Amino acid sequence: MALKDVLQELAARNAQAEGGGGKERIAARHEKGVLSAHERIELLFDSGSFVEVDKLRVHRCNDFGMDEQRIPGDGVVTGYGTVDGRTVFAFAQDFTVLGGSLSHTVADKICKILELAMKAGAPVVGLNDSGGARIQEGVESLGGYAEIFCRNTLASGVVPQISAVMGPCAGGASYSPALTDFVFMVDQTSYMFITGPEVIKSVTRETVTQEDLGGAMSHNSRSGVAHFLAASDQDCIVQIRRLLSYLPSNNMDSAPVLACDDPVDRVIPELDSVVPENSNQPYDMHRIVGATVDAGSFLEVHAHFARNAIVGFARIGGRAIGVVANQPLYLAGCLDINASNKIARFIRFCDCFNLPVVTFEDVPGYLPGTQQEWGGIIRHGAKIVYAYAEATVPKITIITRKSYGGAYCVMGSKHVRADVNLAYPSAEVAVMGADGAVNIIFRGDLKKADDPEARRQELVDDYRSRFATPFKAAELGYIDEVIAPSQTRIRISQALAMLANKKDTNPPKKHGNIPL
Ligand code: HXC
C-alpha cells in the first residue's frame, strides 16, 4: 500500500477513535451537562500537550455480537502530557463506548499507563465514568479490574494518584478510586456504591435514592470516601490541576516552588486577638491557618468530612506544606473516629511525598460516648500517633489553646518525633481540665471544707494558673518556645528553612502494621 493510502487509513482510524461512541452519544452527554472523555482530557492537560497511547487498541471479545462493536480505543482514553509544564499520566473512561464498561483491553490500557507513570515518576489522574465490568466478557473483565487494583496498590506512595468520579462507578469498580490518594466527585452527575438502591431494598428493605446513597455530597460529608466536591466537570478538572500544583511528581522528588510575593517574615497582629480569653468560647481555626500561610494558598482537603479537624495543602514562601488542625467550631475540636482517620491518612500522604506537616492544635481530648468506644476509637485514634511517629518529614506543631490528655500526646507532640513545638501564651497543656482535675485529686479535701464550693473554686483557680498554661511544658523542653500569635508565620518559616535538609529514618522493616 502506498504511504499516502496508509496515511489516509491512519487518519480514518484516528478519527474513529476520537469520535468515541459517535456524535449522537456525545450530544446526549452534553445535554446531561457532562463532557466527553476527550474533552475532559483536553481540559486537564496544558494545551496541545496530550499524547494518546493505545488509541487504536480494540477489545478481543467475539461473544454476543461484540465482533461487530469494535471501536478503536475501546472505552478509555489513555496517555500523558503536561500540567503546568510537568508530566502527568491520565486515563478517562468513555461512557459513549459501551457505557465506558471495562473490557480486559480497557484494563490493559489503564495498567500500561500506571506502569509507565511509576517508571517515569509522574502522577496519575483517573477520570472514572463507567457502567462497570463489560458484561459480555465475564470473568476476563473482573481479572482486569483486579489487575488495576494491584497496580494502584503498588503505585501507592510512589507517585500521587488522583481519581475523579464523573459518572457511575459501582460495585468493585469503586475500589480503584478508593485505593488512590484523593477522590473528586462531581455534584449530581456522579455516584459510587458497592451495592445500589435496588439491591439494598431487596436485602435490607431500606429505601434510599441513588444520590443520597452514593452521590457526591454523601461521600464528601458522610462516608469520607471523597475528598473534594466539584460543581461541574469543568470545575472538577480545574480543582485537580490546582491540587497537582502542591504535589511532587513522585516520592523521590520535592513539590514545585512557586514565586511568592507574600513576605515570609510578615507579622500578623490580628492573630493576637483570634483566640478568645474565655477558653470555652469557640473560634474558627481557619482564621489562624489562612492568615499564616501564603495569601490565598490554603487548599482544604476533606472540607465537608469530620469538620472537627482541618487538613489541607498550603504554601509558605512558595513551598508546599501539609496543614493539620483541630477546629474548635465543631465538637469543640475533639478527636473522634472520623477525624482520626482524616488526620492520619493525610499525614501519611504528606510523609510519602516529602511535604512538611504543620499542625495547629486546640483539642480538649477524644470524644466520649459508646458510639465512639464501640466504633473503635482506640484503634482509630491510635492511627494519629502512628502517622506522626513514623513520619520522617519536617514536623512543626503550634498549640494555640487546649492540649489535654492523650490528645496532647498524639497531636504532633515532641514525644512522637515533632521537630519544632511552639505554643501561644493562651496554651493549656495538662492532663485534664482544671474542674475535672480538682474533683479527682482534692475529693477528700473538698469533703472536709467548711465551704466546699469556695474551696473548690480556689483549687480550680490554683490548678489553672499552674497547669493550664504552656509554661510547665516549656520548662521541660516539650515546648521549644512560647510565641506571640503575631509571630506565627515568621517562626514557622524559620523552622521550615532550618529543617529543609532534615534527614531521619525508621528502623528497617518490610512495612509497619498501622491499626486499621
Ligand atoms: C456492557 C454496558 C454496561 C456494561 C452499560 N453498557 N453498562 N455494556 N457492560 N457493564 C452499555 C449499555 O448497554 C448501553 O449500550 C450503553 O452502555 C449506555 O448504557 P445505558 O444503560 O443506556 O445508560 P444509562 O441509562 O445512563 O445507565 C447507565 C448505567 C446502566 C446505570 C451504568 O447502563 C447500568 O446499570 N449498567 C450495568 C451496570 C452493571 O450492572 N455493571 C456490572 C456491575 S458488576 P447502547 O449500545 O444501548 O448504547 C461489576 C463488577 C466489578 O462491575 C467488580 C470488580 C471487582
Side-chain angles (χ1 to χ4, degrees):
M1 209 191 263
L3 177 64
K4 183 168 77 65
D5 298 329
V6 182
L7 286 175
Q8 246 174 21
E9 183 181 341
L10 174 63
R13 284 178 181 240
N14 277 338
Q16 202 192 352
E18 283 155 21
K23 283 190 180 126
E24 276 176 26
R25 286 192 177 90
I26 292 176
R29 307 291 290 154
H30 290 164
E31 262 170 47
K32 285 188 174 172
V34 298
L35 299 174
S36 72
H38 281 100
E39 288 163 343
R40 288 168 177 166
I41 287 281
E42 281 306 314
L43 269 184
L44 175 65
F45 288 100
D46 297 341
S47 177
S49 73
F50 182 67
V51 180
E52 192 167 343
V53 174
D54 281 343
K55 194 173 183 176
L56 303 182
R57 203 158 167 178
V58 289
H59 69 75
R60 299 180 296 263
C61 177
N62 293 317
D63 297 318
F64 306 105
M66 288 298 284
D67 44 341
E68 304 289 319
Q69 296 194 65
R70 276 195 238 282
I71 295 176
D74 190 24
V76 69
V77 180
T78 57
Y80 58 91
T82 60
V83 172
D84 290 331
R86 292 190 305 152
T87 298
V88 170
F89 288 78
F91 66 85
Q93 293 172 332
D94 186 347
F95 193 84
T96 66
V97 178
L98 295 158
S101 56
L102 191 117
S103 65
H104 205 281
T105 294
V106 168
D108 284 345
K109 286 181 65 174
I110 294 173
C111 288
K112 187 191 263 188
I113 287 302
L114 284 163
E115 282 168 12
L116 268 175
M118 275 194 276
K119 283 190 271 190
V124 186
V125 177
L127 308 179
N128 296 268
D129 187 355
S130 163
R134 175 88 44 94
I135 294 165
Q136 296 88 337
E137 287 199 14
V139 70
E140 237 188 303
S141 165
L142 299 184
Y145 268 118
E147 284 165 25
I148 296 172
F149 303 160
C150 181
R151 279 159 189 78
N152 286 139
T153 307
L154 296 177
S156 178
V158 180
V159 291
Q161 298 182 81
I162 297 170
S163 299
V165 179
M166 307 179 91
C169 184
S174 21
Y175 289 124
S176 175
L179 285 162
T180 63
D181 298 302
F182 298 106
V183 177
F184 290 75
M185 288 186 77
V186 183
D187 203 18
Q188 304 300 323
T189 53
S190 70
Y191 58 88
M192 278 174 109
F193 37 69
I194 297 294
T195 50
E198 292 304 321
V199 177
I200 290 183
K201 193 168 185 184
S202 68
V203 177
T204 70
R205 305 210 182 280
E206 282 172 290
T207 306
V208 62
T209 63
Q210 182 174 281
E211 186 61 29
D212 209 23
L213 178 66
M217 198 54 192
S218 288
H219 282 308
N220 269 274
S221 63
R222 291 179 184 202
S223 70
V225 166
H227 304 82
F228 296 96
L229 178 74
S232 62
D233 280 12
Q234 288 85 346
D235 178 43
C236 184
I237 304 282
V238 168
Q239 288 194 52
I240 293 173
R241 285 181 60 99
R242 180 165 185 225
L243 173 61
L244 283 166
S245 75
Y246 292 87
L247 311 183
S249 294
N250 58 66
N251 60 343
M252 308 297 277
D253 209 355
S254 39
V257 181
L258 266 58
C260 171
D261 50 19
D262 188 354
V264 290
D265 58 358
R266 175 168 51 85
V267 177
I268 318 169
E270 65 269 25
L271 284 192
D272 284 337
S273 54
V274 169
V275 181
E277 276 181 25
N278 173 354
S279 76
N280 291 325
Q281 198 177 317
Y283 62 95
D284 187 356
M285 187 64 95
H286 279 113
R287 290 180 62 195
I288 297 183
V289 174
T292 300
V293 301
D294 293 352
S297 74
F298 185 57
L299 172 64
E300 188 162 3
V301 176
H302 257 157
H304 303 277
F305 179 67
R307 298 180 74 179
N308 39 328
I310 298 171
V311 300
F313 299 104
R315 293 190 182 87
I316 290 195
R319 290 176 192 275
I321 56 167
V323 172
V324 174
N326 309 112
Q327 172 57 292
L329 278 189
Y330 293 91
L331 298 173
C334 273
L335 292 170
D336 62 355
I337 293 170
N338 287 345
S340 300
N341 283 310
K342 170 172 166 173
I343 289 173
R345 183 157 170 81
F346 184 74
I347 293 169
R348 297 190 98 215
F349 176 84
C350 292
D351 192 45
C352 285
F353 292 106
N354 312 316
L355 293 162
V357 175
V358 178
T359 303
F360 295 85
E361 178 180 355
D362 184 348
V363 56
Y366 279 93
L367 187 68
T370 50
Q371 237 190 340
Q372 290 292 310
E373 294 295 340
W374 296 339
I377 182 67
I378 295 174
R379 171 165 61 87
H380 297 291
K383 290 174 191 168
I384 304 184
V385 189
Y386 197 106
Y388 274 112
E390 79 170 342
T392 55
V393 290
K395 290 176 279 191
I396 300 163
T397 301
I398 303 101
I399 302 175
T400 60
R401 192 168 62 180
K402 292 175 187 165
S403 178
Y404 281 112
Y408 159 76
C409 304
V410 309
M411 283 299 297
S413 68
K414 193 68 98 191
H415 322 280
V416 290
R417 296 166 87 192
D419 301 293
V420 175
N421 293 69
L422 307 171
Y424 286 179
S426 49
E428 303 168 23
V429 188
V431 173
M432 59 168 62
D435 289 295
V438 165
N439 284 341
I440 292 170
I441 58 182
F442 295 111
R443 195 175 294 150
D445 197 85
L446 286 171
K447 270 187 195 154
K448 281 186 246 146
D450 295 337
D451 182 348
E453 194 37 47
R455 177 71 183 138
R456 209 184 66 80
Q457 197 52 54
E458 195 183 319
L459 290 166
V460 164
D461 290 345
D462 179 53
Y463 184 94
R464 196 169 279 143
S465 65
R466 289 204 312 180
F467 292 106
T469 74
F471 299 115
K472 184 78 187 165
E475 283 168 21
L476 293 166
Y478 297 170
I479 296 293
D480 299 298
E481 190 185 1
V482 179
I483 62 165
S486 58
Q487 304 296 303
T488 309
R489 180 172 164 87
I490 303 173
R491 280 293 185 267
I492 293 176
S493 61
Q494 286 169 325
L496 287 169
M498 178 270 286
L499 293 164
N501 296 319
K502 177 184 172 185
K503 293 271 179 295
D504 201 355
T505 53
N506 291 327
K509 58 178 111 172
K510 187 172 172 191
H511 57 71
N513 189 13
I514 188 166
L516 294 174

